[in-house]
Amino acid sequence: MDSFFGSAGCAVIGASANPAKAGYQILANMVAAGYTGGLYPVNASGGEILGRPSRPSLDSIENEVNLVVLSAPASATPDILAQMDRRMRKRGDIRAVVCAAAGFAEVKTPEGTAWQKSLTEFCRSRGIRLLGPNCVGVIDVNRKVDTTFIAGIAHVPGGISFVSQSGAVGAWLLMNWAASPAGGVGFNKFVTVGNMADVDIIESVAYAGADPATRVLGVYVEGSAEARRLVEAAGEVARTKPVAVLKVGRTDEGAQAASSHTGSLAGTDALYDGAFRQHGITRVRSVEELSDVLRAFDSLPLPAGNRVFILTQAGGPGILCVDELASAGIFRPARVSDATKSALKDCLPPIASICHPEGHADITAAAGAREHVESLEILLRDPGVDAVLFITVATLFLDLAAMARGIAEVVERLRGEGVSKPVLPAVLSGDWTRESRGILEKAGIPTFESPERAVRALAALRGYAEFRGRRPS
């Protein structure tokens, strides 16, 4: 597997000077990622692509080539195999092939099936690892590799690795991250497996999860003929670091659609559910929840307990948060000390509602940036609080940027004092809050689009903390 990420020399067969073609975007992404191993466009028409002369064939490249990316049509497979055969006879240096092209076994035609079989058999006979066909490719931000054709990726280093059976879901996630208020969500590795002719999702999960730079692993799965091995591989990772899985095919109709898409068996959903719980794997229900949970795990400490305080500047969103927190069934309101209540009363506007009910303070729209920051610090210092859900709404008279800078400073200072608790801000909403959310996220405090999404992320943190507490060391 390491051959896909640690290559000395990459050839892109089917490279194109047309920005609308995958063969162009793959080259552009490798350049944008900062790849330095030697990048060689292969196109029989010749010419120059992104300042690099294109070679007429793979075997005409003089320098070392460990990685080959295929973006030419599937019908070109016989010619490509001939080029690869000549290359291996002459240099023997190809270690891995990423086949981004579609039109193979997934289309269920005799030709597509035959092309996939011949490509797979050739790679196996020469000891070459094959990813795909019909995959989006791989990314390693730290090692500056990006063989995908996804436009607009932000190559920001982070601790999230993601393995997907769907290239489209992977692209959806990465493009959303690129548009984050901080200018990009950090991640480590990204793998899409496509038709799994050789490298499958199980091997990819084990590889990405074992990477020391991976702090949390995300997986999108439609199904597997070896469901037990898949769950066990993810469970082995979950012994030491969190794993979040978006498993689709929950309904009979969805299972049929998943089988049609990948040819994999979706399996009985209830069995997956129980197996995930047994192995400490967090199951999410949407791409949005997957993103929220991965970002929370990557940046926030696990809560020491289930006592949560809701600090809200707006009544309605605060009530939504109370409902969602109660519905989760694993939390209880944090009961703070009389000293904490007195300190909150002293720093907040007279109309603020403090601990009515317990674990809840509505500081009202009269609260400015200073009141937001001071009340948060008071709560984080209370030993009866394990986590804070922080909700505020943009108003013309609230300096959101000053509030965000203050929160970031408080969280960092308290961590230096040994007070490390998760703070999950829902800063509502839209472009009004983009600057303040960016300040928080750059400080390692993920923000959320709604109170409900913040609660679901906190529930994932708490669920994994409980699993780690139960599991024998």
Side-chain angles (χ1 to χ4, degrees), residues 151-314:
I153 294 173
H155 298 100
V156 179
I160 301 170
S161 287
F162 183 62
V163 175
S164 181
Q165 276 187 298
S166 166
V169 168
W172 179 2
L173 193 66
L174 292 187
M175 294 173 83
N176 276 346
W177 285 353
S180 78
V185 172
F187 67 102
N188 176 36
K189 278 185 166 62
F190 172 85
V191 182
T192 61
V193 294
N195 293 0
M196 300 190 290
D198 174 26
V199 175
D200 65 8
I201 192 169
I202 299 170
E203 184 178 6
S204 300
V205 163
Y207 175 78
D211 187 335
T214 298
R215 289 191 292 268
V216 54
L217 177 65
V219 184
Y220 170 88
V221 60
E222 295 177 356
S224 172
E226 298 182 273
R228 181 184 294 275
R229 284 188 58 231
L230 173 59
V231 172
E232 288 175 348
E236 184 61 29
V237 177
R239 291 173 61 85
T240 56
K241 57 188 75 173
V243 177
V245 174
L246 175 55
K247 165 66 176 68
V248 296
R250 290 182 287 114
T251 63
D252 290 342
E253 293 82 359
Q256 291 174 15
S259 178
S260 174
H261 180 213
T262 63
S264 299
L265 299 175
T268 304
D269 194 65
L271 295 179
Y272 273 104
D273 235 9
F276 289 156
R277 283 195 299 271
Q278 179 184 350
H279 287 275
I281 299 165
T282 301
R283 184 171 190 178
V284 298
R285 303 288 173 162
S286 67
V287 170
E288 292 82 6
E289 187 180 359
L290 177 65
S291 175
D292 291 342
V293 166
L294 292 176
R295 292 185 304 116
F297 274 128
D298 189 35
S299 301
L300 298 177
L302 297 177
N306 65 351
R307 302 165 300 177
V308 181
F309 201 100
I310 298 171
L311 181 65
T312 179
Q313 172 245 31

Side-chain angles (χ1 to χ4, degrees), residues 298-388:
D298 189 35
S299 301
L300 298 177
L302 297 177
N306 65 351
R307 302 165 300 177
V308 181
F309 201 100
I310 298 171
L311 181 65
T312 179
Q313 172 245 31
I319 297 168
L320 287 171
C321 192
V322 171
D323 280 344
E324 191 71 22
L325 201 66
S327 298
I330 60 173
F331 298 110
R332 57 190 178 95
R335 292 182 174 270
V336 299
S337 68
D338 290 340
T340 294
K341 292 177 182 178
S342 178
L344 288 173
K345 183 177 179 181
D346 289 342
C347 87
L348 292 173
I351 59 174
S353 172
I354 300 168
C355 297
H356 300 291
E358 294 288 348
H360 178 276
D362 183 350
I363 65 178
T364 77
R370 180 182 60 82
E371 289 85 357
H372 280 75
V373 174
E374 288 185 6
S375 57
L376 176 62
E377 179 170 0
I378 290 166
L379 290 168
L380 290 174
R381 289 188 179 278
D382 190 293
V385 175
D386 295 315
V388 176

Side-chain angles (χ1 to χ4, degrees), residues 416-436:
E417 297 176 17
V419 180
S420 184
K421 301 176 181 180
V423 177
L424 293 88
V427 185
L428 315 172
S429 60
D431 287 344
W432 279 97
T433 67
R434 188 168 182 84
E435 180 187 7
S436 58

Side-chain angles (χ1 to χ4, degrees), residues 66-90:
N66 295 159
L67 176 65
V68 176
V69 182
L70 306 181
S71 64
S75 58
T77 299
D79 178 58
I80 291 171
L81 289 178
Q83 294 182 41
M84 291 175 64
D85 181 58
R86 292 194 298 268
R87 178 84 197 185
M88 291 300 286
R89 291 176 184 275
K90 179 180 178 182

Side-chain angles (χ1 to χ4, degrees), residues 124-160:
R124 285 179 178 163
S125 70
R126 301 304 180 91
I128 299 169
R129 298 311 309 272
L130 170 64
L131 190 68
N134 186 36
C135 73
V136 168
V138 300
I139 302 173
D140 187 321
V141 176
N142 293 302
R143 296 166 81 173
K144 304 185 185 308
V145 172
D146 182 349
T147 73
T148 75
F149 49 89
I150 305 169
I153 294 173
H155 298 100
V156 179
I160 301 170

